[in-house]
Amino acid sequence: EGGALRVGPRSAGAEPGPACYGRGGTEPTVTDACLVLGWLDPEFRLADAVQLDRVAAERALTTLAGGGGGDPRAAAAAIVEVATAVMARALKRVSVARGIDPRGMALLPFGGAGPLFGCALADALGMSRVIVPPHPGVLSALGLAAAPERVDVIASLHRALGEMHDGDLHRAFEPLLAAAAGALPHAALTRFADCRFAGQGYEVTVPVTREDPAALGAAFRAAHRARHGHADPEGPVQLVNLRVVAERPAHMVVESAASRTKTVRPRAIVARGGDSTRAEVWALGQIAAGTHVRGPAVLAGPDATALVEHGWHGVVHGTGAVILERT
């Protein structure tokens, strides 16, 4: 009402969906903006089923661009900027706000449209590497199929580590190990402990590799320092919970990268910020391993689309994933 542009959190969903879906939606969405900017191509059906309507997207965006005389591309550029800021804020809540520095990590965007914003979000968080999987739109389903079977067994054990003796940890873990082995036979068993400094309201989970309370205390302090930046060398440590994780790997054949690259003709796009440019177009999931990709480029796949922005370059891994780094 005050004139500010707001993106989300309400979603248009699939029905009626964005205006460009042609299912009755009239409100402009991020998908409409990406289509108008050229990041999505109406010649390629989304998920092999949805034919995108660029004219409908432009008509919806014109309502934000000052009526019939407005520039829908300017509105689209503003939408993706706001959407990027909203997503960056969410990423900071689960990283910086928890004491985790994302700058030394890689960003892995997934979902049908997630990789369109990978480079922009990495820039916003100071990250220098983005990994685009070969099938981002179905990554969760692939993960479920490839994930190992897992059973967690947990038991409370409120004890001060300084009061525990040799053999206490071994005896405490015995029933948990038996329960985990019985629940998932022929599985690998891993032991963990939830520890905290006396008086803290939160715990840090650390692996238990030795049945020595002093070694466990040292491992907790190291993990606490890595997570929170400090660890009292003299503070008493409390054991809160014991955990045993049983994992049995799933048998799944990993698809290798294509032996040769399927090329698509270049097209004009509007880069983040509003400048028009020419982008190479690659068939995501059908790029030969070792191929170098330089931005600006669009990686168009059957289940997702990725945008490689100017200043970024990538190489295709043997799995088909594209590993992007800032130039």
Side-chain angles (χ1 to χ4, degrees):
E1 293 180 1
L5 179 63
R6 183 174 62 188
V7 179
R10 183 172 58 86
S11 172
E15 294 288 349
C20 62
Y21 278 16
R23 296 175 175 173
T26 58
E27 293 182 295
T29 68
V30 176
T31 303
D32 294 307
C34 292
L35 178 60
V36 169
L37 295 175
W39 301 0
L40 299 175
D41 190 338
E43 294 185 12
F44 293 88
R45 294 177 180 268
L46 291 187
D48 292 329
V50 181
Q51 182 70 55
L52 299 180
D53 185 343
R54 183 186 177 100
V55 173
E58 290 178 341
R59 185 166 52 246
L61 288 170
T62 300
T63 63
L64 295 177
D71 182 2
R73 294 187 307 173
I79 287 173
V80 298
E81 283 295 322
V82 174
T84 299
V86 171
M87 289 186 282
R89 186 167 63 236
L91 287 173
K92 290 176 181 178
R93 278 199 294 265
V94 297
S95 58
V96 177
R98 296 183 180 181
I100 301 171
D101 187 352
R103 291 175 295 181
M105 300 179 180
L107 182 69
L108 196 151
F110 62 96
L116 286 172
F117 295 88
C119 294
L121 291 172
D123 284 338
L125 274 74
M127 304 173 74
S128 59
R129 178 173 290 188
V130 175
I131 300 175
V132 180
H135 300 289
V138 292
L139 186 67
S140 295
L142 288 173
L144 181 61
E149 297 178 81
R150 172 170 169 160
V151 171
D152 288 40
V153 179
I154 182 172
S156 296
L157 183 67
H158 289 266
R159 293 279 299 277
L161 279 183
E163 299 175 359
M164 298 186 71
H165 305 287
D166 291 344
D168 287 352
L169 279 174
H170 176 78
R171 288 186 290 272
F173 269 114
E174 277 187 331
L176 278 72
L177 291 167
L184 196 63
H186 310 297
L189 304 180
T190 309
R191 300 175 302 176
F192 297 91
D194 298 342
C195 301
R196 66 187 180 193
F197 286 114
Q200 280 185 330
Y202 58 90
E203 296 81 41
V204 175
T205 302
V206 294
V208 178
T209 57
R210 294 168 54 189
E211 296 172 343
D212 177 6
L216 178 57
F220 162 72
R221 285 188 169 87
H224 194 284
R225 185 177 294 107
R227 172 64 63 88
H228 301 290
H230 65 91
D232 185 350
E234 305 296 333
V237 178
Q238 294 179 334
L239 180 61
V240 180
N241 300 309
L242 298 181
R243 302 173 182 268
V244 172
V245 175
E247 285 190 327
R248 189 166 60 195
H251 299 285
M252 180 179 178
V253 177
V254 178
E255 179 184 348
S256 59
S259 59
R260 58 195 183 98
T261 300
K262 180 180 179 181
T263 58
V264 184
R265 69 178 183 273
R267 69 170 181 257
I269 68 169
V270 178
R272 184 164 53 99
D275 295 330
S276 297
T277 186
R278 194 93 174 148
E280 290 186 313
V281 181
W282 303 78
L284 181 61
Q286 301 181 55
I287 313 174
T291 301
H292 288 266
V293 177
R294 292 193 175 275
V298 174
L299 311 179
D303 55 79
T305 304
L307 177 66
V308 183
E309 298 199 15
H310 177 73
W312 288 79
H313 72 280
V315 63
V316 181
H317 187 264
T319 60
V322 183
I323 302 175
L324 302 174
E325 293 184 333
R326 191 181 291 110
T327 303

